[in-house]
């Protein structure tokens, strides 16, 4: 679990990149969000098109289960990962299995899963402790944390991650906003504006 979460929080790249200036929608999950202007969008087109064609929640649940409980729906990168090294501000949208309908248990499980990575990062710190937030009338979770990553070339990266977790039926949508703790990689204002555009039709 720890390894899995770390991979999500650091940066992931998929195929079929293009520049985005639109609204991203995933109707089977009722999720939509304004795409960041001029960021690069990556997706696994075959899987996403398959999901878009489904209207049966049992089939959607089966797909999520077959992908080890986690599907990367969309990734947005501020820079082209093939040409830029170092920390790249990134937004990921994932759909993950939810083991309980009890919100208090859901909050505890998600908090515990994130806390597991503390052993991997000595300076891991919660900037904003896990707290409840309402998104489109849905009781959801929000948290922000930071840590440092040392690359093989000795460069120190300082990512900062804000997570929004929105429970929907047997799964939840997790939106990760990842930027840097230094001014040149600070996307907090842009992230705040994008968060306001998140809509859920449950």
């Amino acid at each position: 679990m720890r390894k899995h979460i770390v991979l999500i929080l650091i940066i992931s790249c998929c195929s079929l990149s293009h520049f985005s200036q639109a609204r991203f929608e995933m109707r089977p999950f009722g999720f939509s969000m304004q795409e960041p202007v001029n960021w690069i969008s990556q997706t696994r087109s075959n899987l996403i098109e398959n999901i878009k064609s489904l209207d049966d929640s049992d089939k959607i649940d089966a797909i999520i289960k077959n992908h080890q409980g986690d599907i990367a729906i969309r990734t947005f990168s501020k820079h082209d990962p093939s040409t830029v090294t170092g920390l790249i501000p990134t937004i990921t949208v994932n759909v993950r299995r939810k083991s309980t309908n009890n919100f208090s248990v859901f909050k505890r499980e998600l908090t515990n899963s994130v806390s597991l990575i503390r052993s991997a990062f000595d300076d891991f710190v919660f900037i904003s402790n896990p707290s409840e937030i309402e998104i489109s009338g849905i009781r959801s979770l929000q948290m922000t944390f930071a840590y440092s990553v040392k690359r093989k070339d000795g460069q120190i990266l300082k990512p900062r991650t804000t997570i929004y977790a929105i429970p929907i039926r047997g799964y939840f949508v997790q939106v990760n906003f990842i930027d840097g703790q230094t001014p040149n990689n600070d996307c907090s204002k842009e992230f705040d504006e994008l968060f306001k555009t998140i809509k859920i039709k449950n």
Side-chain angles (χ1 to χ4, degrees), residues 25-158:
E25 294 188 6
M26 278 302 298
R27 292 184 181 179
F29 305 112
F31 176 88
S32 68
M33 183 185 77
Q34 186 67 42
E35 297 186 358
V37 177
N38 291 330
W39 286 41
I40 300 171
S41 173
Q42 299 123 20
T43 185
R44 296 168 60 188
S45 60
N46 292 338
L47 173 62
I48 301 309
E49 290 305 318
N50 187 20
I51 293 175
K52 282 182 178 180
S53 68
L54 298 177
D55 56 9
D56 186 326
S57 60
D58 289 338
K59 292 180 181 178
I60 294 173
D61 290 343
I63 289 178
I64 297 173
K65 183 178 180 180
N66 288 338
H67 286 80
Q68 298 182 327
D70 193 328
I71 299 177
I73 298 297
R74 186 65 62 91
T75 299
F76 300 98
S77 300
K78 188 169 186 178
H79 310 295
D80 186 345
S82 66
T83 61
V84 176
T85 59
L87 192 152
I88 300 176
T90 303
I91 301 166
T92 65
V93 181
N94 291 62
V95 176
R96 305 179 63 189
R97 290 185 68 189
K98 180 165 61 72
S99 65
T100 177
N101 290 322
N102 184 305
F103 187 84
S104 295
V105 176
F106 170 68
K107 179 180 179 180
R108 184 172 65 248
E109 289 181 348
L110 187 61
T111 301
N112 289 343
S113 68
V114 172
S115 295
L116 285 174
I117 69 174
R118 289 190 180 196
S119 60
F121 302 108
D122 294 335
D123 61 346
F124 177 97
V125 60
F126 275 113
I127 297 173
S128 172
N129 287 319
S131 59
E132 296 182 20
I133 186 173
E134 192 171 286
I135 300 176
S136 292
I138 299 174
R139 195 179 182 190
S140 306
L141 287 176
Q142 174 190 26
M143 67 184 78
T144 301
F145 49 87
Y147 50 94
S148 298
V149 179
K150 187 175 182 179
R151 288 163 45 102
K152 291 182 179 180
D153 61 7
Q155 183 182 7
I156 304 294
L157 306 182
K158 290 186 169 293

